[in-house]
């Protein structure tokens, strides 16, 4: 009926997590009540596209060829933290404890969803590890099966052959939470990960 | 950290149905893998904003001052269908049975969410009904409490004083569905709405 409206819905629908109804609702909002906000979105998106790119070294968002972490000489280049996504990287930065560098994988191995080793930047990771004086690699992927398989694969195919020290982030009870509310898997992991006091 | 990225997230977050995490995911997608799609979004949104506006008569999306329905002389102007939203209007159009005209209310009365009679285009509706030779008004609002209250209010304050014939869309069992799967409220309404065969 309205060609430009249909085209806009189609574009919005291809965004991650947006279905048909959300796309329609968003398009109507932007064209009716939110017209000013739509102009802001156009301006904000244009200037972000101009200002930001992917860091050529670690895959983080960057304002130049290298991101602020990779180009910060105060960061410890002997520590490399592997994360799945940029929001994971931000979460670790917010925790304030990590002073090393990152490599964003951009995904995890999943034969079912068609993500194979060649779809992850593993050749790039191997190259970095050969070039940089990395002492320890921290595997900061989640606790699901696909993340576990990805860690195992990277360990066996890349990190062990290069003889790097490898650690995996700790798993167990989330800080501030109670025993009775934890699920069985979490408690299982927490008991396995018990430490001597 | 990255000012333009933060600004973009903030704009996206104000879209309907988008929370903090979806906004971040969407912004990262648009700036990294989806850069081409981001350019399409900018173009699609710009041309839609130029091409589309709200129909000054019924509140539908329009390519001119009046929408295609209001400006179609073949539509029956003696029938006026009241809907809450534009997607409701589209749904009725898809059913193909209605040849009259519409009034989009853009909301329903809800004292809790601060939607009062003066926030709905009721003065405009009264004016239309006085001007146009409307014979029948069809209340095509949903079956929830707020929609019911809105129908009752419009009936009492506007439609009855003007002496218009008023109907409400039918409620009952959805077409193709079974008795055993229907919830108690739907069955209650369906039994009340039974017809002689």
């Amino acid at each position: 009926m309205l060609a430009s409206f249909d085209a806009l819905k189609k574009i919005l629908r291809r965004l991650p997590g947006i279905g048909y109804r959300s796309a329609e609702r968003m398009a109507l909002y932007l064209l009716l009540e939110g017209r000013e906000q739509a102009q802001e979105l156009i301006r904000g998106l244009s200037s972000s596209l101009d200002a930001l790119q992917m860091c050529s070294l670690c895959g983080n968002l960057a304002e130049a060829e290298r991101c602020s972490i990779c180009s910060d000489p105060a960061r410890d280049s002997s520590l490399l933290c592997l994360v799945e996504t940029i929001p994971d990287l931000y979460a670790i930065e917010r925790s304030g404890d990590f002073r090393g560098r990152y490599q964003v994988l951009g995904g995890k191995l999943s034969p079912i969803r068609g993500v194979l080793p060649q779809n992850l930047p593993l050749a790039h990771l191997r190259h970095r590890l050969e070039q940089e004086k990395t002492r320890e690699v921290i595997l900061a992927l989640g606790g699901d099966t696909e993340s576990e398989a990805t860690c195992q694969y990277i360990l066996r195919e890349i990190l062990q052959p290069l003889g790097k020290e490898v650690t995996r982030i700790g798993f167990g009870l989330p800080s501030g939470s109670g025993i009775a509310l934890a699920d069985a898997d979490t408690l299982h992991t927490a008991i396995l990960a018990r430490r001597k006091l």
Side-chain angles (χ1 to χ4, degrees), chain A residues 30-130:
Chain A
L30 288 166
L31 297 176
L32 300 174
E33 309 107 276
R35 288 179 80 89
E36 234 171 87
Q37 199 177 330
Q39 299 288 4
E40 275 179 56
L41 178 57
I42 291 172
R43 283 193 300 269
L45 196 49
S46 303
S47 62
S48 290
L49 283 168
D50 287 344
L52 300 172
Q53 53 184 294
M54 187 185 277
C55 172
S56 63
L57 195 58
C58 77
N60 187 12
L61 264 193
E63 276 170 335
E65 207 220 322
R66 294 276 163 100
C67 74
S68 57
I69 297 172
C70 285
S71 54
D72 179 355
R75 303 286 300 218
D76 182 353
S77 60
S78 73
L79 274 174
L80 186 71
C81 180
L82 260 57
V83 292
E84 187 193 335
T85 67
I86 295 174
D88 295 339
L89 183 159
Y90 289 167
I92 295 175
E93 284 296 290
R94 276 196 298 271
S95 80
D97 285 326
F98 183 69
R99 295 300 301 158
R101 296 193 171 161
Y102 293 93
Q103 176 64 50
V104 179
L105 293 177
K108 51 193 173 186
L109 295 179
S110 168
I112 291 176
R113 291 185 293 119
V115 185
L116 303 171
Q118 59 265 36
N119 304 120
L120 299 181
L122 299 182
H124 173 74
L125 172 65
R126 181 181 284 119
H127 186 75
R128 272 191 82 174
L129 292 169
E130 282 164 354

Side-chain angles (χ1 to χ4, degrees), chain A residues 11 44 56 65 73 96 101-102 139 152 156 159 164 174 176 196:
Chain A
I11 296 166
S56 63
E65 207 220 322
R101 296 193 171 161
Y102 293 93
L139 299 170
Q152 287 308 317
R156 199 181 58 229
L159 304 176
K164 296 292 176 188
K196 215 166 186 149

Side-chain angles (χ1 to χ4, degrees), chain A residues 124-195:
Chain A
H124 173 74
L125 172 65
R126 181 181 284 119
H127 186 75
R128 272 191 82 174
L129 292 169
E130 282 164 354
Q131 298 287 315
E132 298 172 18
K133 294 189 177 65
T134 313
R135 184 178 46 77
E136 179 184 346
V137 176
I138 303 175
L139 299 170
L141 280 77
D144 56 296
T145 317
E146 291 173 341
S147 298
E148 285 295 341
T150 308
C151 287
Q152 287 308 317
Y153 183 90
I154 293 175
L155 184 69
R156 199 181 58 229
E157 299 292 324
I158 299 173
L159 304 176
Q160 283 177 343
L162 290 172
K164 296 292 176 188
E165 188 185 330
V166 185
T167 56
R168 179 99 169 84
I169 52 159
F171 286 87
L173 213 60
S175 142
S177 88
I179 305 282
L181 291 169
D183 63 283
D185 263 1
T186 299
L187 280 180
H188 176 73
T189 323
I191 289 170
L192 285 181
R194 68 192 182 277
R195 290 181 310 163

